[in-house]
Amino acid sequence: MNRPSADLACSIAGLKLRNPLVLASGVLGTSPTLLERVARSGAGAVTSKSCGPEPRAGHPNPVALPWGGGVINAVGLTNPGIEQEVPLLIEARQILRAVGVPLIASIFAPTLDDFGRMAAGINQAQPDLIEVNISCPNVGDEFGKPFSASADTAAAVTRLVRQHTSIPFSVKLSPNVTDIAQIAAAVEAEGAHAITAINTVPGMLIDAYAAQPVLSNRVGGLSGWSIKPLALRCVAEIYRAVRIPIIGTGGVSCGLDAAEMIMAGAAALGVGAAVYQRGVEVFAQISEELRDFMTQQGYQDLENMRGIALK
Ligand SMILES: Cc1cc2nc3c(=O)[nH]c(=O)nc-3n(C[C@H](O)[C@H](O)[C@H](O)COP(=O)(O)O)c2cc1C
């Protein structure tokens, strides 16, 4: 007997997605034509590169390198600054609306107050969802610790963003903490509509022949298949702690990875490093692989599968 094909549609914070695969922030920048290409290639939603209040050149090369376990990068939050970002996002949003794919606009800031200003500024672009990247150093902190490092600073950013925008937003968490569930709960309590987890994992690679780190910045963020178990653990812990949807991100590169992430509690999935590995076709490919897996295993829709590994 042929089973009916599984339904991949999902919704996050009121946004309807034709499938759960979201282009992760920073992987392909913010060019409207590139975002359109990803959307036309089958992504369920696309996220722009994180934008801050001022233009930033980022770090000198080399800034990103594929290796056996995925990718390491220290791009240094290269972006044109909010003033130039808004017209880019308006153009991207118009193109993407025609394709029926939501735009998620990622923001970051160096100080708490700047997060409020960024939320207010990004309103002008009217993205479908805002993603708040808090894995950036807080220059107001004595040690320059990221906002993502504690429940208090994560909650303070969330409160401020909520006060400055009526667009739904997701707070993107770092795995580099002792209790990610506590941070997720604090962010939910302050009114975040979703959580994106995880950002990259701090790491370093050394070229033994050159006797130096491979990145100009020495340390960088790991992404891709080596971080998948860490991402699954984080998503599972967050899922147990909150009721808002999670965009599970980290090491998703095939349909089985996607199924695992949904079984850990994700409502949608970020795809980053796999775009380098499989090209922009990765979104359509993972969708088909996920649909085949679900159909074979008798899952009619994502809701049926979400969090099932934790029961
Ligand atoms: C080259 C590169 C640049 C990135 N830039 C950003 C960024 O600007 N903002 C952000 O929130 N995450 C950024 N990330 C992190 C990804 O969005 C994602 O959280 C991470 O790579 C884990 O997913 P993956 O294993 O599918 O790559 C970047 C990742 C890479 C590889």
Side-chain angles (χ1 to χ4, degrees):
M1 184 185 78
N2 278 347
R3 289 179 194 274
S5 184
D7 181 10
L8 294 189
C10 64
S11 81
I12 335 163
L15 273 195
K16 301 242 172 299
L17 272 56
R18 59 185 169 173
N19 70 58
L21 298 162
V22 178
L23 171 69
S25 177
V27 173
L28 287 178
T30 303
S31 134
T33 47
L34 255 183
L35 295 181
E36 177 186 13
R37 208 174 137 212
V38 174
R40 290 196 185 279
S41 303
V46 298
T47 315
S48 56
K49 165 101 187 139
S50 297
C51 170
E54 302 297 334
R56 271 175 70 101
H59 297 132
N61 277 323
V63 293
L65 191 89
W67 65 289
V71 174
I72 187 165
N73 95 84
V75 172
L77 289 168
T78 309
N79 80 95
I82 183 74
E83 233 169 81
Q84 288 188 52
E85 177 87 354
V86 166
L88 272 181
L89 290 177
I90 291 174
E91 188 187 338
R93 192 202 63 210
Q94 276 161 357
I95 296 173
L96 292 166
R97 290 241 162 115
V99 188
V101 170
L103 171 66
I104 304 174
S106 173
I107 56 169
F108 76 93
T111 68
L112 194 54
D113 286 349
D114 280 333
F115 267 107
R117 281 194 273 279
M118 283 304 298
I122 212 77
N123 275 333
Q124 300 167 60
Q126 288 290 303
D128 298 288
L129 187 78
I130 298 171
E131 188 169 86
V132 186
N133 173 8
I134 58 171
S135 301
C136 40
N138 174 1
V139 300
D141 177 87
E142 191 186 351
F143 301 104
K145 283 206 297 276
F147 294 94
S148 55
S150 82
D152 285 350
T153 45
V157 171
T158 308
R159 198 176 312 133
L160 212 57
V161 169
R162 203 201 45 204
Q163 286 163 1
H164 284 86
T165 184
S166 53
I167 298 172
F169 66 93
S170 180
V171 177
K172 186 165 182 182
L173 303 186
S174 164
N176 199 28
V177 293
T178 41
D179 190 349
I180 199 166
Q182 186 201 15
I183 295 171
V187 156
E188 179 184 50
E190 290 297 343
H193 303 85
I195 284 174
T196 307
I198 56 176
N199 214 315
T200 53
V201 181
M204 180 162 79
L205 289 176
I206 289 178
D207 178 341
Y209 292 99
Q212 60 183 34
V214 299
L215 296 176
S216 70
N217 190 52
R218 293 168 179 260
V219 294
L222 302 173
S223 51
W225 78 263
S226 60
I227 70 166
K228 187 180 78 171
L230 182 53
L232 285 171
R233 190 265 295 163
C234 288
V235 168
E237 287 182 4
I238 296 168
Y239 182 67
R240 285 206 169 104
V242 304
R243 300 188 70 85
I244 51 178
I246 307 165
I247 306 178
T249 307
V252 174
S253 71
C254 65
L256 266 187
D257 294 336
E260 292 165 16
M261 196 59 96
I262 292 159
M263 289 180 177
L269 309 158
V271 178
V275 178
Y276 300 136
Q277 196 192 337
R278 298 181 74 180
V280 287
E281 294 72 28
V282 70
F283 297 96
Q285 290 167 353
I286 300 182
S287 283
E288 275 324 294
E289 291 159 7
L290 177 61
R291 195 193 310 277
D292 286 351
F293 170 83
M294 289 171 66
T295 307
Q296 272 164 20
Q297 298 297 312
Y299 296 107
Q300 285 155 2
D301 55 32
L302 298 170
E303 200 64 50
N304 267 299
M305 203 165 62
R306 176 157 344 120
I308 204 164
L310 310 183
K311 291 210 164 111

